[in-house]
């Protein structure tokens, strides 16, 4: 295995840990986007894609199904600082719903990427278990 690959962190997050990880990262990215780019929804949405991949890669094998579920929630949580603030709570909620509607392609795309990564990981996990059973049986 190449040295560069071995240096990457290899955390194993539970389902809850994965949700907290991606929610916290998306909130942080939302605030950074608002600070540096003037609350650009496109920048926020593009930054969502690597968070999707990391969450899908870092979640434990037993909690793989949770990754594609928590990502849309994290996307919505991170929209709080980015969404248009139209005045008051109702205006801010309207900005969040509008952002969810206009950025749905990025949201679906990121969730699809996470779903594909999780599916590949699950297939590999099942294949490894089946191979181990074949080796151990007489």
């Amino acid at each position: 295995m190449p040295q560069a690959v071995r240096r990457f962190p290899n955390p194993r997050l539970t389902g809850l840990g994965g949700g907290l990880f991606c929610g916290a990262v998306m909130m942080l990215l939302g605030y950074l986007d608002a600070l540096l780019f003037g609350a650009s929804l496109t920048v926020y949405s593009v930054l969502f894609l690597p968070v999707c991949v990391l969450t899908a890669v870092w979640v434990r094998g037993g909690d793989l199904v949770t990754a594609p579920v928590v990502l849309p929630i994290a996307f919505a949580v991170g929209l709080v600082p980015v969404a248009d603030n139209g005045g008051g709570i109702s205006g801010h909620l309207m900005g969040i719903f509008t952002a969810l509607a206009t950025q749905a392609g990025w949201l679906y795309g990121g969730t699809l990427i996470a779903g594909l990564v999780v599916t590949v990981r699950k297939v590999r996990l099942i294949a490894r278990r089946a191979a181990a059973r074949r080796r151990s049986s007489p």
Side-chain angles (χ1 to χ4, degrees):
M1 182 175 277
Q3 284 290 39
V5 174
R6 281 190 220 149
R7 283 186 290 202
F8 281 117
N10 193 20
R12 288 294 168 220
L13 302 170
T14 63
L16 178 61
L20 291 174
F21 164 75
C22 62
V25 170
M26 290 312 297
M27 182 66 86
L28 176 69
L29 290 175
Y31 278 114
L32 285 174
D33 178 28
L35 181 68
L36 299 175
F37 302 106
S40 168
L41 288 173
T42 304
V43 170
Y44 174 79
S45 299
V46 169
L47 292 173
F48 175 65
L49 300 179
V51 174
C52 291
V53 172
L54 286 176
T55 303
V57 168
W58 286 349
V59 74
R60 290 185 324 177
D63 295 325
L64 286 173
V65 73
T66 61
V69 174
V70 298
L71 287 166
I73 298 167
F75 187 87
V77 166
L79 280 176
V80 170
V82 179
D84 186 25
N85 198 354
I89 292 175
S90 62
H92 196 66
L93 284 174
M94 188 60 71
I96 290 173
F97 290 135
T98 302
L100 284 170
T102 59
Q103 302 303 309
W106 291 102
L107 176 60
Y108 293 152
T111 306
L112 178 66
I113 290 169
L116 291 173
V117 169
V118 163
T119 302
V120 168
R121 284 188 60 205
K122 187 66 171 182
V123 166
R124 291 181 65 206
L125 182 68
I126 291 170
R128 264 188 267 135
R129 286 181 183 166
R133 273 196 307 266
R134 281 193 299 268
R135 280 185 297 228
S136 66
S137 65

